[in-house]
């Protein structure tokens, strides 16, 4: 800054000393949450959290939270990164938007918090049993005998107790 002033008929000027300011490109950390686009309602799926630093020096006291899960990273190196993964499940069928994860950190005397994206997953019902029904012959006149075959196949690794129903008849498989 400059100032011009008069004193005893003289015009004087003065200048302040130069100052510098560190501009923190907040956030200096960014986080991305990645999940598969489609998952089953039975099997677990992986959630990946990627944290990247744009800082020119280490970022201290980094705490990552995603729902009830949290991780502490004492120091993230300058322009460093961290990758965290965990398993999750969802039993509700349909599109599900996940809540964002957050990262809180200490940098240049301040505490900052940044949130990730909120990815969407499609939860599909996993088929555990397939059934088939066949009749022979495929054409019959009234009173002809026909053979009906009803079958169930377990597509899961565990033993399942299956009740087959066809009109008013029920069978255990």
């Amino acid at each position: 800054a400059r100032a011009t002033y008069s004193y005893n008929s003289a015009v004087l000027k003065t200048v302040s000393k130069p100052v510098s300011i560190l501009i923190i490109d907040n956030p200096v950390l960014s986080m991305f949450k990645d999940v598969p686009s489609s998952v089953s309602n039975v099997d677990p799926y992986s959630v990946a959290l990627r944290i990247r630093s744009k800082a020119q020096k280490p970022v201290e006291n980094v705490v990552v939270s995603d729902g009830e899960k949290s991780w502490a990273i004492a120091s993230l190196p300058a322009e460093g990164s961290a990758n965290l993964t965990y398993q999750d499940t969802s039993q509700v069928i349909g599109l599900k938007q996940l809540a964002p994860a957050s990262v809180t950190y200490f940098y240049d005397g301040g505490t900052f918090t940044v949130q990730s994206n909120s990815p969407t997953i499609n939860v599909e019902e996993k088929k555990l049993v397939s059934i088939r029904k066949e009749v022979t012959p495929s054409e019959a006149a009234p009173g002809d005998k026909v053979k009906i075959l009803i079958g169930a196949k377990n597509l899961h690794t565990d033993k399942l107790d299956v009740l087959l129903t066809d009109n008013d008849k029920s069978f255990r498989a």
Side-chain angles (χ1 to χ4, degrees):
R2 292 181 219 185
T4 304
Y5 57 96
S6 299
Y7 179 73
N8 290 337
S9 333
V11 176
L12 304 170
K13 295 180 183 180
T14 189
V15 180
S16 69
K17 69 178 184 174
V19 296
S20 64
I21 183 170
L22 174 63
I23 298 175
I24 298 174
D25 183 17
N26 186 33
V28 295
L29 294 186
S30 63
M31 183 167 48
F32 185 76
K33 184 174 183 175
D34 191 33
V35 295
S37 58
S38 185
V39 299
S40 83
N41 64 325
V42 175
D43 300 320
Y45 60 90
S46 290
V47 177
L49 304 173
R50 296 190 315 255
I51 299 106
R52 303 280 184 258
S53 174
K54 297 182 278 182
Q56 298 300 309
K57 60 184 182 178
V59 178
E60 308 294 329
N61 301 324
V62 178
V63 177
V64 179
S65 300
D66 194 9
E68 296 177 7
K69 296 173 178 43
S70 67
W71 301 263
I73 302 169
S75 180
L76 192 61
E79 297 183 359
S81 64
N83 295 310
L84 305 168
T85 59
Y86 66 92
Q87 297 289 303
D88 204 356
T89 58
S90 181
Q91 296 178 339
V92 179
I93 307 295
L95 287 177
K96 178 180 178 183
Q97 185 167 12
L98 301 178
S102 66
V103 59
T104 301
Y105 59 95
F106 183 78
Y107 186 75
D108 263 0
T111 301
F112 304 95
T113 300
V114 175
Q115 289 191 329
S116 73
N117 57 315
S118 299
T120 300
I121 59 172
N122 182 27
V123 181
E124 298 175 345
E125 183 175 8
K126 182 170 183 175
K127 193 174 179 182
L128 300 178
V129 175
S130 70
I131 58 172
R132 74 176 198 277
K133 182 176 179 181
E134 297 173 2
V135 63
T136 53
S138 59
E139 294 181 12
D144 288 352
K145 287 189 176 187
V146 294
K147 184 177 181 181
I148 299 173
L149 173 67
I150 298 175
K153 181 177 181 181
N154 182 355
L155 302 174
H156 199 262
T157 55
D158 296 336
K159 182 179 178 181
L160 300 174
D161 183 24
V162 179
L163 176 65
L164 293 171
T165 305
D166 186 39
N167 294 320
D168 60 347
K169 303 217 186 242
S170 295
F171 311 91
R172 288 245 176 247

